[in-house]
Amino acid sequence: MANHSADYPVVVTATFVADPLAPTFSYWTAELGLPHDLVVAPYGQVLQHLLDPHGPLVRTGPGANVVLVRPQDWARDRPAEPAPPSAADAPPSPDPTPSGHLRATLGADGRAAVRRVADELVEAIAGSVRQRSAPLLVVLCPASPALLADPADGGFLTAIEERIAAELRRIPGVGVLTTADTVEAYDLPHHADDYADELARVPYTPAGYAVLGTAVVRRLHALRTARPKVIVVDADNTLWDGVVGEDGVDGIRIGPHRQELHRLLVRQQEAGALLCLSSKNSEAEVREVFRRRPELGLELSQLTALRVDWRPKHETLRELAAELDLGLDSFLFLDDSPAECAELRAACPEVLVLNLPAGAAPALSYLRHVWALDRPVVTGEDRLRTELYQRESRRRELRASSAGLAEFVAGLRLEVRLTPATSGQADRLAQLTQRTNQFNTSTVRRTAADFATADELRWAVDVSDRFGAYGLVGLVSLTVDGTALRVDDLLLSCRVLGRGVEHRVFAAIGAAALERGLDTVDVPVRRTARNQPARDFVTRVAGPPDSATGVHRMGAADAAAVRYTPEQPVPAGPPATNGPAEPNEPAAPDRAADAAGHADRLDRIARELATGAALHRAILPPPPGAGPTAGPADARTPTELAVARLWAEVLGVAPVSVWDSFFALGGQSLQVVQFMARVRAGYGVELPMDLLFTTGFTVAQAAHAIDDVRPVSGADIDLLIAQVEALSDDEVAALLAAEEA
């Protein structure tokens, strides 16, 4: 799924106008170096787009589909409900809303419509992922604050969002974002623009769209780039406040923000990251903190490894990498000390090193906005990863005590099961195709949607031994091709290689060919920089590939007879660390060549772009010449200066003269709506349409219209009286004479 090419379409279909997302996508493309080709489909046709197999949505990768849904929009096209007979003599309703306009309340019929379309949406999405393999992200967007404040509608809309989210999360291949991931995560309470929504179905402020777009890009970033496999964390002033060697076990402080930080780390561990502790301390004192301080929300059993001594951190990390058999480019290191972070960056440039801000609350806020910690897909194997590595440690002990490889393999008592893959395994199978590089014959990256339907010739490989399960560790995809059984995918996790698992899988493929009366097993192997183990194995058991087709061919009976001889193991190959990435391999932007830049980007995002206001300033900065005191030189009134500044914000270019035309400066209808909304918010004035959509729509004309219709405030009247009272008799006479003339 990873793809850094420019050809990564992101198709957005929404229940409202989504075009204002474009600046946000452009900003993040430049910031991340991860292109997104944004395509916004016509709004209000979400169900049609999902159901149409030939519609605008991306069918196969690379690319992604994004559905933006605001459930209240499903009720807005109904006529307003008539007043009950008992209210015939009452004053007119404050919401005589015509069709297509905002409504003060949803009403019973509106809530029924929302429930009905919510069911249709879930059904349409389930059907869509069966037709399309591209990732699908559904964003449940914030409702209007006015409706949320209504006693009946507020609870209903909250409940409907929760229900839709729960049902969609059960569908393989579908990602879900809610308001907790958007305006709440980015602390943007004032995100709605009801006036622009009324005018043109633009329901959010520019800052609101910046937050929505950022949340979408952040999720796509998680799908397209590798996540750290190991998180190494410091102890003093990181897991707790204070230094245990100086303050003592009872003197260190563990407040609510540190406890929430612990919970965040535990969620990472439950999502598949291996947690390790590296601290320059006395190991006995650190262990005593874990034993005696119950408010520490992290247990020693949740740590894969502990390194507490006085050695440099780069030594302990290299030791951990060797012990876990993982490359340093899969490590994330968290420490509050700038000096420790600088030392580790210099010694191990491939490690992703992040320097936590000082203080518990800033550190927690920072970690919540470290994009590398986003793990949108969590499988059963992920939840067991710490336990799996602990089991592997016991296997290494057995290996060390065995007289030879044959005794070790026999002592494991391996069991290998190949069963037809099910939709319930879709996330894990997709994850395997995206992460497995060494023993992978095709290196085709697939999504969960590719596994939504059953296929008797697509097998999941489960392995266990005397120490427990390895989990779902492999995938085999087969196709009958004439008299041959073609192996489209053969991939296995590196942790089961060199023990005969690959041989048993190949023999099962040969047996399947014999059962179907086929003559041969054909294995095409795509050559990459990192799949040498797969190429070596297939060549060893099936012989070299055909010089013309590049396919390894083996008789079905011979394939079924493949056996493992422990005295001649197939090497598992070197750790997948620094080989050049193929175009379709999972992106690892934190490799040594780009680690420093990648860490700097992540650090800046977490420190400086963690609120809606900050995102708005970064994504839509004022253009040159549009400062708080800037404006056209020929501006004559404060209103003209204010209008010029609004134009600069909306258009991204500052007018030079009050007689510049809005449309000559590049304005479009959507930007007219945004300007109208800002004028209404700032002045309480609704500008006339016959002004806005003409070539005469200039700064001067807009300012004149505002001044002509806006109400005069008491402060304005007081100022006018004061100015008149300050005039001399001669000045008054001169003004009156000029007026008469």
Side-chain angles (χ1 to χ4, degrees):
M1 195 186 311
N3 191 302
H4 281 237
S5 73
D7 186 19
Y8 193 90
V10 178
V11 178
V12 174
T13 178
T15 60
F16 51 85
V17 172
D19 300 78
L21 294 173
T24 301
F25 273 76
S26 297
Y27 174 83
W28 286 114
T29 291
E31 177 73 19
L32 301 171
L34 201 62
H36 308 88
D37 182 14
L38 178 65
V39 179
V40 179
Y43 79 89
Q45 302 177 42
V46 169
L47 294 181
Q48 296 92 315
H49 293 155
L50 288 168
L51 295 172
D52 183 359
H54 306 293
L57 298 185
V58 179
R59 188 169 182 83
T60 59
N65 298 310
V66 179
V67 177
L68 302 179
V69 170
R70 192 174 66 147
Q72 73 183 74
D73 292 332
W74 298 326
R76 74 183 297 167
D77 290 326
R78 299 176 303 103
E81 296 174 13
S86 60
D89 297 328
S93 166
D95 180 37
T97 310
S99 176
H101 288 206
L102 290 176
R103 304 177 60 85
T105 62
L106 294 177
D109 288 350
R111 290 190 286 273
V114 169
R115 278 191 291 266
R116 175 178 54 79
V117 183
D119 292 338
E120 294 174 355
L121 175 74
V122 173
E123 185 177 345
I125 287 173
S128 179
V129 297
R130 288 193 292 267
Q131 298 173 347
R132 301 176 175 91
S133 61
L136 177 63
L137 175 62
V138 180
V139 186
L140 297 170
C141 300
S144 164
L147 287 180
L148 288 176
D150 181 82
D153 291 337
F156 168 77
L157 289 171
T158 300
I160 205 76
E161 176 183 304
E162 293 172 352
R163 195 192 93 194
I164 294 172
E167 293 184 12
L168 292 181
R169 287 187 176 116
R170 290 195 287 266
I171 302 175
V174 177
V176 181
L177 296 177
T178 68
T179 53
D181 305 297
T182 56
V183 294
E184 293 177 12
Y186 285 92
D187 189 24
L188 188 68
H190 305 297
H191 54 267
D193 192 332
D194 288 344
Y195 181 63
D197 191 15
E198 173 83 14
L199 285 175
R201 302 213 179 183
V202 181
Y204 302 112
T205 63
Y209 276 102
V211 165
L212 285 177
T214 295
V216 170
V217 172
R218 182 171 174 172
R219 176 58 60 89
L220 296 179
H221 180 268
L223 295 175
R224 297 176 67 188
T225 61
R227 307 288 91 182
K229 295 180 180 178
V230 184
I231 300 174
V232 182
V233 63
D234 182 41
D236 291 334
N237 291 312
T238 301
L239 291 182
W240 50 75
D241 289 301
V243 178
V244 67
E246 298 175 1
D247 302 318
V249 173
D250 297 319
I252 60 172
R253 300 172 304 283
I254 305 175
H257 290 104
R258 292 296 181 194
Q259 290 174 318
E260 184 56 38
L261 188 151
H262 303 157
R263 286 189 283 270
L264 184 151
L265 292 173
V266 169
R267 288 193 294 271
Q268 289 289 311
Q269 186 259 347
E270 292 171 344
L274 302 177
L275 291 184
C276 300
L277 178 65
S278 176
S279 174
K280 290 182 177 179
N281 253 314
S282 160
E283 182 172 344
E285 287 182 317
V286 170
R287 287 183 177 274
E288 193 70 2
V289 172
F290 279 87
R291 189 180 72 84
R292 286 174 43 193
R293 296 298 296 268
E295 65 270 44
L296 185 66
L298 186 63
E299 298 177 4
L300 281 174
S301 61
Q302 293 169 316
L303 299 176
T304 303
L306 192 71
R307 292 294 185 276
V308 183
D309 51 41
W310 301 102
R311 291 180 296 161
K313 295 289 180 76
H314 71 266
E315 290 186 14
T316 62
L317 260 70
R318 286 176 177 155
E319 186 175 274
L320 286 170
E323 178 180 317
L324 299 174
D325 195 22
L326 292 170
L328 281 170
D329 61 353
S330 64
F331 277 62
L332 166 63
F333 178 76
L334 301 172
D335 198 316
D336 70 294
S337 168
E340 292 285 5
C341 290
E343 184 272 336
L344 186 59
R345 276 194 178 191
C348 300
E350 58 268 63
V351 174
L352 176 58
V353 179
L354 295 178
N355 182 197
L356 292 178
L364 175 60
S365 175
Y366 177 92
L367 286 176
R368 284 173 170 166
H369 289 280
V370 171
W371 288 22
L373 295 179
D374 295 343
R375 300 178 187 273
V377 179
V378 179
T379 67
E381 279 70 18
D382 290 330
R383 297 183 181 93
L384 294 173
R385 197 168 307 280
T386 297
E387 184 179 346
L388 293 174
Y389 271 83
Q390 291 168 345
R391 292 173 187 169
E392 194 61 32
S393 177
R394 295 195 290 273
R395 294 183 183 107
R396 284 195 296 271
E397 293 173 1
L398 174 64
R399 178 70 180 89
S401 64
S402 299
L405 183 60
E407 181 180 322
F408 166 62
V409 172
L412 286 175
R413 299 197 293 271
L414 280 166
E415 293 185 12
V416 180
R417 295 173 297 281
L418 295 93
T419 56
T422 67
S423 60
Q425 298 167 319
D427 284 333
R428 172 57 179 166
L429 293 172
Q431 186 183 71
L432 280 170
T433 70
Q434 294 152 21
R435 292 184 177 179
T436 306
N437 298 305
Q438 294 184 75
F439 200 93
N440 189 337
T441 59
S442 72
T443 67
V444 174
R445 311 305 179 184
R446 306 188 189 279
T447 69
D450 291 314
F451 303 101
T453 56
D455 184 339
E456 66 171 4
L457 289 179
R458 185 166 57 214
W459 303 337
V461 182
D462 287 277
V463 178
S464 61
D465 63 18
R466 59 181 282 192
F467 296 106
Y470 293 79
L472 201 168
V473 294
L475 167 69
V476 177
S477 298
L478 308 170
T479 302
V480 175
D481 185 8
T483 60
L485 187 61
R486 188 178 71 244
V487 181
D488 297 317
D489 292 291
L490 172 57
L491 59 93
L492 290 167
S493 169
C494 62
R495 68 174 182 264
V496 298
L497 298 182
R499 301 171 187 184
V501 173
E502 55 269 50
H503 297 76
R504 296 195 199 185
V505 171
F506 203 88
I509 294 171
L514 291 176
E515 290 173 5
R516 288 161 176 77
L518 303 174
D519 298 333
T520 62
V521 171
D522 289 359
V523 190
V525 181
R526 181 177 183 273
R527 184 185 185 92
T528 76
R530 305 176 72 186
N531 72 344
Q532 186 74 43
R535 288 184 276 129
D536 287 349
F537 170 76
V538 176
T539 299
R540 184 171 281 104
V541 298
D546 183 271
S547 58
T549 64
V551 173
H552 300 260
R553 172 164 288 179
M554 188 178 191
D558 292 334
V562 167
R563 296 292 183 272
Y564 175 51
T565 304
E567 289 73 20
Q568 295 179 334
V570 178
T577 53
N578 297 317
E582 296 296 320
N584 66 340
E585 287 189 320
D590 51 336
R591 289 184 182 161
D594 191 41
H598 180 53
D600 288 343
R601 282 192 298 273
L602 290 176
D603 180 77
R604 192 174 78 83
I605 290 169
R607 288 181 191 273
E608 302 176 12
L609 299 173
T611 67
L615 287 171
H616 184 208
R617 289 191 298 270
I619 294 169
L620 296 169
T629 60
D634 56 352
R636 299 157 297 183
T637 68
T639 306
E640 287 183 345
L641 286 172
V643 168
R645 287 194 289 270
L646 286 178
W647 280 23
E649 293 175 12
V650 170
L651 296 173
V653 58
V656 176
S657 168
V658 296
W659 301 108
D660 285 344
S661 166
F662 189 87
F663 296 104
L665 292 174
Q668 298 177 353
S669 58
L670 179 60
Q671 290 159 316
V672 172
V673 171
Q674 292 173 329
F675 173 68
M676 292 173 68
R678 297 196 189 191
V679 169
R680 189 177 188 274
Y683 295 99
V685 169
E686 296 189 15
L687 295 174
M689 290 291 182
D690 57 359
L691 164 68
L692 298 173
F693 291 95
T694 67
T695 55
F697 180 24
T698 64
V699 171
Q701 293 290 346
H704 176 73
I706 292 171
D707 288 335
D708 194 43
V709 299
R710 67 169 168 162
V712 180
S713 69
D716 290 335
I717 294 173
D718 291 341
L719 177 61
L720 181 60
I721 291 173
Q723 290 173 336
V724 171
E725 290 177 344
L727 294 175
S728 67
D729 292 342
D730 290 340
E731 289 173 325
V732 172
L735 287 172
L736 291 174
E739 182 67 21
E740 290 175 0

